Amino acid sequence: MVNAGDEPTGNPEPCVVGVDFGTLSGRAVVVRVRDGEELASAEHVYPHAVLDRELPDGTRLPPDWALQVPSDYVDVLRHAVPAALAAAGVRPEQVIGIGTDFTACTVLPVLADGTPLCELPEYSARPHAYVKLWRHHAAQGQADRINALAAETKEPWLQRYGGKISSEWEFAKALQVLEEDSEIYHRMERWVEAADWIVWRLCGTYVRNACTAGYKGQYQDGAYPSRAYLEALAPGFAGFVTEKLEHPIGALGARAGYLTAEAAAWTGLPEGIAVCVGNVDAHVTAPAAGAVEPGQMVAIMGTSTCHVMSSDQRGVVPGMCGVVDGGILPGLWGYEAGQSGVGDIFAWFVRTGLPAEYAAKAAAAGQTAHEYLTALAAGQKVGEHGLVALDWHSGNRSVLVDHELSGVVVGLTLSTRPEDVYRALLEATAFGTRTIIDAFEASGVPVGELIIAGGLTKNALLMQIYADVTRRPLGVIGSAQGPALGAAMHAAVAAGAHPDIQAAARAMGKADRGVYQPDPERAAAYDRLYAEYRLLHDYFGRGTNDVMHRLRALRAEASA
């Protein structure tokens, strides 16, 4: 898919390229350095998508697995970048740098030269040789043990992650490899974030980025968890940091190296241009949305939602994904929280719960199923459907940090309609975001404004619900390609076109502030529904009733 901009052919102004590697596809955007104008973009869909049932050869996968094929990422460089460049009408020599961002924690085992183990013929049928996507949740048992031991031994880094690390992160996933396929674990020479692996492929130099090291690798105050802690955690794991993980760390916006001849041939870009240090999709989006002041929370809403914010206050926020000094912007504490399922939940409902007559009416009206359901739901008053839902269909990332939790809808009757459930699910995700904001506020880290990025900004009902539920004005990023724009902005810094990311944000970032304002009457009604949500949240999520874990265990037994 290619979208062309207005840039005339032959325009001599310098440009940069940003490449956003998402869950199902990669998107490249060509951006003018002077003002952030997006001249063209192109998308390449991963041929293998997400491997959550079987490997390419048919090898079956257990529940809660989510893998990917690394060659799909290189295909984005081969196809999306040249297509975007051609559509922009920009000459290759105008491009002065390339930046990338990735989902995280998406991690893979490689040899010392960066070769993924899944590309070795002898390991092509071994699941642990593949990329573990961010939403791979099969390491929950390992995460539980990491947390329990860290609490017992009072590890100083634990509080920086709100008291729990996630099954999605580097240590839990690596420990799962050791315990379930030790041959793969001992064969791998580097445990690499995909954000760094793709930069390695572009410039030939492996540089570990500060963002994933801090948020996903428990790197705090210049150190990882200690060898003694790792040895106590599991036999054979003591050397994980020194032997497979530890590597020189590059600052965000720094230059990792220069584009190699091989990568230049893939992309159509000039050999030797600046390649920026890798970064995470959510974190690069903050400056793209102009959110460079303390208290401006950016929620990147797509299949999941990641909440990022910088602050001059360092607090211990329960259940957050981490606080890192300079993790988003230099000189400020960078916070991350998130929801594991948002757009995925809406898609699940449409895929499994849409009656044929609704599909037919949507088609007749020239609408998608989402548009049709949204239009019906928009006609309701707050609470009219009589439902409240929990948004845990893909577990809970913040603030409970438990990926074995599951979804709930309370209040169903024989008169409940599909649009009722759909709206309740929209509201549930907003309640999840408010729970995160409440945790920040209660910990002395103020949240003054929400700025939304991602594909779900197109749903005006959803945006208004978020404004009403959170009682905060909602801004909207002025770009359909926020992460790719943010990656391009960091590339401009790496190439020396802007002195730092704050300056790049002032010149190239874009957002419309206060587009949605909270309505006092609806907000008051949502306060009552939110109180019910929090009762269910704590009842099922804090140990009063562990039925979700028991059901998960039964499913695992039945699937064995």
Side-chain angles (χ1 to χ4, degrees):
M1 182 181 73
V2 177
N3 299 303
D6 300 321
E7 184 78 355
T9 301
N11 190 312
E13 291 200 65
C15 298
V16 283
V17 171
V19 188
D20 168 39
F21 291 87
T23 299
L24 296 174
S25 65
R27 292 158 292 278
V29 62
V30 180
V31 181
R32 193 163 57 207
V33 168
R34 171 171 55 86
D35 58 2
E37 181 69 21
E38 297 170 41
L39 305 179
S41 65
E43 179 180 21
H44 180 73
V45 175
Y46 303 148
H48 296 94
V50 178
L51 308 178
D52 55 8
R53 294 182 180 275
E54 61 184 25
L55 297 183
D57 69 353
T59 300
R60 298 290 295 173
L61 296 173
D64 301 320
W65 280 61
L67 308 178
Q68 290 197 309
V69 176
S71 62
D72 288 354
Y73 308 145
V74 176
D75 284 345
V76 172
L77 302 176
R78 295 177 185 272
H79 299 288
V81 175
L85 195 66
V90 167
R91 297 195 304 270
E93 58 267 26
Q94 291 176 240
V95 179
I96 61 173
I98 182 170
T100 57
D101 70 83
F102 233 101
T103 61
C105 171
T106 296
V107 66
L108 65 157
V110 302
L111 299 178
D113 63 358
T115 301
L117 294 195
C118 64
E119 294 182 0
L120 302 179
E122 63 267 32
Y123 295 137
S124 63
R126 303 279 277 274
H128 281 294
Y130 284 77
V131 177
K132 284 183 169 59
L133 183 61
W134 65 268
R135 72 184 192 198
H136 175 90
H137 294 150
Q140 185 63 54
Q142 284 79 10
D144 291 342
R145 287 164 43 214
I146 289 171
N147 290 325
L149 180 61
E152 178 186 333
T153 57
K154 296 181 171 54
E155 297 296 316
W157 46 263
L158 188 61
Q159 68 169 353
R160 297 281 183 93
Y161 302 98
K164 284 186 178 181
I165 70 104
S166 169
S167 67
E168 295 179 358
W169 296 358
E170 292 177 5
F171 280 71
K173 287 174 172 172
L175 183 56
Q176 186 194 13
V177 177
L178 171 65
E179 295 182 335
E180 296 183 6
D181 193 336
S182 61
E183 182 182 347
I184 292 294
Y185 179 85
H186 291 296
R187 185 70 178 91
M188 77 174 179
E189 295 171 294
R190 293 288 179 196
W191 186 237
V192 179
E193 284 277 354
D196 299 326
W197 183 80
I198 202 67
V199 169
W200 194 351
R201 296 306 307 266
L202 284 167
C203 69
T205 303
Y206 175 31
V207 177
R208 183 153 161 73
N209 76 85
C211 185
T212 52
Y215 290 100
K216 312 302 179 184
Q218 292 130 266
Y219 184 77
Q220 293 284 351
D221 300 325
Y224 294 97
S226 69
R227 185 180 183 91
Y229 166 81
L230 297 177
E231 188 170 357
L233 185 62
F237 202 52
F240 170 63
V241 167
T242 54
E243 296 168 9
K244 303 181 187 298
L245 185 68
E246 198 168 38
H247 201 76
I249 293 175
L252 306 181
R255 187 179 63 240
Y258 300 95
L259 196 70
T260 65
E262 180 183 41
W266 294 339
T267 59
L269 298 174
E271 181 182 353
I273 64 170
V275 177
C276 186
V277 167
N279 211 325
V280 176
D281 49 4
H283 297 74
V284 295
T285 305
V292 293
E293 298 298 327
Q296 293 178 314
M297 177 177 281
V298 178
I300 301 89
M301 297 178 61
T303 55
S304 63
T305 292
C306 189
H307 306 74
V308 294
M309 185 179 74
S310 293
S311 178
D312 52 7
Q313 302 295 314
R314 194 190 92 183
V316 178
V317 184
M320 65 177 164
C321 299
V323 54
V324 176
D325 188 6
I328 302 171
L329 298 165
L332 294 173
W333 293 96
Y335 291 85
E336 179 190 336
Q339 293 166 264
S340 296
V342 179
D344 268 354
I345 298 175
F346 312 149
W348 162 81
F349 180 74
V350 166
R351 187 173 66 250
T352 63
L354 190 72
E357 63 179 291
Y358 275 61
K361 288 179 179 179
Q367 296 176 308
T368 67
H370 291 284
E371 291 168 340
Y372 184 72
L373 287 170
T374 297
L376 293 175
Q380 298 182 0
K381 294 180 180 179
V382 176
E384 181 179 332
H385 50 49
L387 305 173
V388 64
L390 292 177
D391 52 319
W392 298 346
H393 297 61
S394 190
N396 181 285
R397 184 182 297 163
S398 300
V399 295
L400 299 172
V401 198
D402 186 346
H403 292 290
E404 293 189 347
L405 297 175
S406 48
V408 170
V409 180
V410 173
L412 295 169
T413 72
L414 294 177
S415 61
T416 299
R417 300 163 300 177
E419 59 266 33
D420 300 335
V421 178
Y422 190 76
R423 177 165 180 141
L425 294 174
L426 299 182
E427 293 166 344
T429 66
F431 294 148
T433 286
R434 178 167 169 178
T435 302
I436 290 167
I437 291 173
D438 286 354
F440 274 90
E441 294 271 338
S443 302
V445 183
V447 180
E449 179 185 9
L450 267 178
I451 304 170
I452 310 297
L456 295 182
T457 57
K458 293 179 288 188
N459 189 319
L461 173 63
L462 182 65
M463 296 297 99
Q464 187 60 56
I465 288 172
Y466 270 65
D468 293 337
V469 166
T470 63
R471 289 182 173 267
R472 281 168 175 77
L474 242 67
V476 177
I477 192 171
S479 169
Q481 303 289 348
L485 172 60
M489 290 165 58
H490 282 80
V493 175
H498 292 292
D500 52 42
I501 193 60
Q502 285 94 335
R506 288 190 290 271
M508 302 173 71
K510 55 192 78 170
D512 299 316
R513 294 290 200 277
V515 176
Y516 298 92
Q517 296 292 329
D519 175 84
E521 184 177 341
R522 288 194 300 266
Y526 272 128
D527 284 345
R528 295 173 63 189
L529 269 180
Y530 178 62
E532 301 299 338
Y533 172 92
R534 286 305 301 265
L535 285 172
L536 291 174
H537 176 281
D538 293 348
Y539 179 72
F540 287 113
R542 298 193 185 277
T544 305
N545 189 336
D546 279 333
V547 61
M548 295 176 182
H549 295 107
R550 294 193 296 272
L551 290 174
R552 184 68 64 107
L554 284 171
R555 187 185 75 170
E557 290 174 18
S559 301

